[in-house]
Amino acid sequence: MSQLQGAIAATRFGMGARPGEIAAASGDPRGWLKAQIRPDAALIPDDGLLSVKQVFEARRDAYSGMAPEDRPGSPQRQTAADAPRSDAQRMIQQQVQRETREGLGREVEARARHAAATPDSFSERWLRFWANHFTV
């Protein structure tokens, strides 16, 4: 029975059982889950990735030299027929968009790698639950 409870703890409350997790959880399934509830359990190790905040700060800095009405997406921006963008403005916008896409892509990839490899899968499951809850 305790093998079954270990399997339930690892698969239902985590991200799926990794090799050896069912055996580790079988001794004390509740204790195994409780041990994973720590503030640092769902943090991605810093390996040079830019955070979403850093990406948007870089975007803000790139646009800081532009007049508000010249910034892409600005509500103050005139129509394209009234004020065509210069090549420099277009290049800045394309660079910022590319860096934003790449940065967010690296974040998603790092989160997926972390979820697959973390020994704290219960914390990762909670992180995903609450992230989904607050975005929906």
Side-chain angles (χ1 to χ4, degrees), residues 69-114:
E69 61 273 4
D70 291 336
R71 295 179 190 157
S74 170
Q76 300 165 340
R77 186 177 167 84
Q78 300 169 351
T79 64
D82 294 337
R85 289 183 287 169
S86 70
D87 288 340
Q89 290 169 329
R90 218 176 355 266
M91 286 176 49
I92 290 172
Q93 180 182 9
Q94 290 171 349
Q95 178 184 356
V96 168
Q97 288 173 342
R98 183 177 52 254
E99 289 174 4
T100 302
R101 268 192 318 273
E102 290 170 359
L104 293 174
R106 285 191 302 269
E107 288 284 328
V108 169
E109 182 182 343
R111 174 56 62 196
R113 272 196 319 263
H114 179 73

Side-chain angles (χ1 to χ4, degrees), residues 29-67:
R30 288 179 190 218
W32 183 77
L33 292 170
K34 285 180 183 178
Q36 295 181 38
I37 303 172
R38 316 184 305 278
D40 65 332
L43 296 177
I44 299 175
D46 181 21
D47 58 355
L49 289 175
L50 291 177
S51 70
V52 174
K53 180 180 176 187
Q54 290 170 317
V55 169
F56 286 108
E57 285 174 352
R59 175 181 235 175
R60 182 196 63 216
D61 293 344
Y63 292 151
S64 66
M66 291 182 177

